[in-house]
Amino acid sequence: MSRPISLTQHILTQQRLHPEATGEFSAIMTQIALGGKMIAQDLRQAGLLDILGTTGEVNVQGEEVQKLDQRANETFVQVFESSTLVRTVVSEEMEDPYTVVSAERTGKYAVFFDPLDGSSNIDVNASLGSIFSIHRLSPSPSGNGGASFLKPGAEQVAGGYILFGASTILVYTCGDGVHLFTLNPGIGEFFLSGSNITMPAHGAIYCVNEGNCLKWSNGMKNYIDHLQEIDPATGRPYSLRYTGCLAADVHRVLLKGGLYLYPGEVDKPEGKLRLMYEAAPLTFVIEQAGGIGSTGFERIQTIQPKTPHQRVPLVIGSRDDVELAEKFLKPEMG
Ligand code: AHM
Ligand code: MG
């Protein structure tokens, strides 16, 4: 019987393939995994503790802060506070980038994260996620207010997500394929359950909040109409699946093919999702698996970010599906 491979063992093995690797990445991933385990533990007993519902505050995105959003954010910040590697932490729940005091001089990395993705699922015991992106800081960071930590997705060191569903899983890439780990809650360790995952070139599923259809461009409406047409030769109509948790929907698309869309709207062309800690890390995963992440008119990984909480439209998934979606969206939005 082959022994299960833990996350730490896996990263160390991968690292040996890269003589230039220093072990820093493995240390940061271990911290992220620890944060994920702590959040998973909270979620398992959320109804028994006083951690459901809202705090009464509104976050930088103008959204109501849920108690668990705040708790998950504090969990990750605390985990990084014991670090000398992560200097800058950017979170959906914090208006300004946060400097880790213990890493102010030594830290070479910035971590961007959405501590609890799919907040509307919290009170109904549905899937939630944590999304993370790791960037190397420029040699002489100009300070937290500066732009030195704001780099295009193509420059990520690693990206991935933890998905709190029927099981807790961690999916990451550092540019050497996509690897999936499942948490063994008894042992408290993530074990490898899928490596070098590749996704289908097209699928039969689309994930979108169709309640917004009257706010979409004609190109977007026409694309969704196209997916709903009956044409068995091209696998249409596609099935609609939408969980309200981006990480969960993108995970479905990664394994089954198809695409997730959160487009720009006529009165809100920038869309809803955030570039640095939603679109870019998920695109890193999907593109490593053979798919594409796009705004519908430009590729996510080439966008030069201007602000930490910048929003982008997102069309992400199987290569053929995203390329066709771009053809529908481009004429209007380009
Ligand atoms: P959140 O990070 O505040 O939870 O917002 C992101 C979420 C995604 O997980 C999800 O796909 C989308 O927003 C749902 O938005 P909507 O309710 O508009 O469909
Ligand atoms: Mg989110």
Side-chain angles (χ1 to χ4, degrees):
M1 197 180 80
S2 63
R3 283 173 186 277
I5 300 168
S6 72
L7 175 64
T8 311
Q9 284 170 324
H10 177 83
I11 294 170
L12 291 174
T13 309
Q14 295 278 103
Q15 219 163 261
R16 271 181 227 121
L17 305 174
H18 297 275
E20 74 285 2
T22 58
E24 293 172 345
F25 171 67
S26 129
I28 297 172
M29 278 303 296
T30 304
Q31 289 174 312
I32 291 173
L34 173 62
K37 289 182 228 176
M38 292 163 77
I39 294 167
Q41 172 73 3
D42 279 346
L43 295 178
R44 265 198 297 273
Q45 41 186 348
L48 304 174
L49 309 173
D50 180 28
I51 52 176
L52 293 178
T54 64
T55 63
E57 292 160 33
V58 172
N59 71 9
V60 57
Q61 321 287 344
E63 297 153 354
E64 276 195 324
V65 178
Q66 305 281 327
K67 288 181 192 167
L68 266 166
D69 274 331
Q70 201 170 61
R71 195 169 164 107
N73 184 59
E74 285 165 8
T75 299
F76 277 118
V77 170
Q78 272 170 22
V79 156
F80 293 125
E81 262 173 342
S82 61
S83 161
T84 52
L85 293 170
V86 177
R87 178 179 183 275
T88 305
V89 173
V90 174
S91 161
E92 179 182 338
E93 299 303 329
M94 298 190 294
E95 184 157 5
D96 297 316
Y98 177 81
T99 301
V100 176
V101 178
S102 56
E104 207 165 354
R105 291 175 182 279
T106 49
K108 296 184 200 156
Y109 296 89
V111 176
F112 296 77
F113 62 94
D114 178 354
L116 210 51
D117 174 54
S119 304
S120 70
N121 287 355
I122 289 176
D123 289 345
V124 298
N125 197 27
S127 291
L128 292 158
S130 298
I131 308 174
F132 59 89
S133 165
I134 306 174
H135 278 267
R136 199 168 275 114
L137 288 165
S138 303
S140 344
S142 61
N144 263 345
S148 62
F149 62 98
L150 289 178
K151 299 180 183 179
E155 294 184 34
Q156 286 172 98
V157 174
Y161 53 90
I162 300 165
L163 184 57
F164 309 100
S167 7
T168 298
I169 61 163
L170 185 153
V171 175
Y172 88 93
T173 183
C174 55
D176 266 337
V178 176
H179 311 295
L180 190 161
F181 300 80
T182 303
L183 179 64
N184 178 329
I187 301 174
E189 180 60 279
F190 284 100
F191 290 100
L192 186 65
S193 47
S195 53
N196 294 310
I197 294 171
T198 54
M199 63 185 300
H202 61 88
I205 291 167
Y206 70 107
C207 310
V208 73
N209 183 344
E210 218 158 338
N212 290 330
C213 64
L214 295 182
K215 303 180 198 166
W216 293 341
S217 68
N218 288 334
M220 177 66 190
K221 286 179 189 160
N222 292 340
Y223 177 63
I224 298 300
D225 286 348
H226 171 81
L227 296 182
Q228 294 172 344
E229 278 167 16
I230 299 172
D231 180 24
T234 54
R236 292 177 290 153
Y238 278 27
S239 290
L240 170 64
R241 297 284 183 271
Y242 191 69
T243 64
C245 171
L246 170 68
D249 285 329
V250 167
H251 187 62
R252 179 196 296 278
V253 162
L254 173 71
L255 299 185
K256 305 285 186 194
L259 77 175
Y260 169 101
L261 308 99
Y262 210 112
E265 294 167 0
V266 172
D267 293 334
K268 197 181 173 198
E270 71 279 17
K272 173 181 182 185
L273 300 175
R274 280 51 63 110
L275 174 62
M276 299 304 288
Y277 42 83
E278 293 181 322
L282 294 177
T283 294
F284 197 8
V285 169
I286 288 290
E287 293 196 345
Q288 277 290 307
I292 294 175
S294 170
T295 62
F297 47 97
E298 73 180 308
R299 295 295 162 86
I300 294 290
Q301 300 305 54
T302 59
I303 299 173
Q304 173 62 54
K306 295 189 180 68
T307 60
H309 299 290
Q310 183 170 333
R311 294 177 193 266
V312 278
L314 183 62
V315 180
I316 185 169
S318 291
R319 192 188 60 227
D320 295 353
D321 290 313
V322 174
E323 281 177 352
L324 183 60
E326 286 177 330
K327 287 196 182 116
F328 276 85
L329 292 166
K330 261 179 185 162
E332 287 201 351
M333 305 191 76

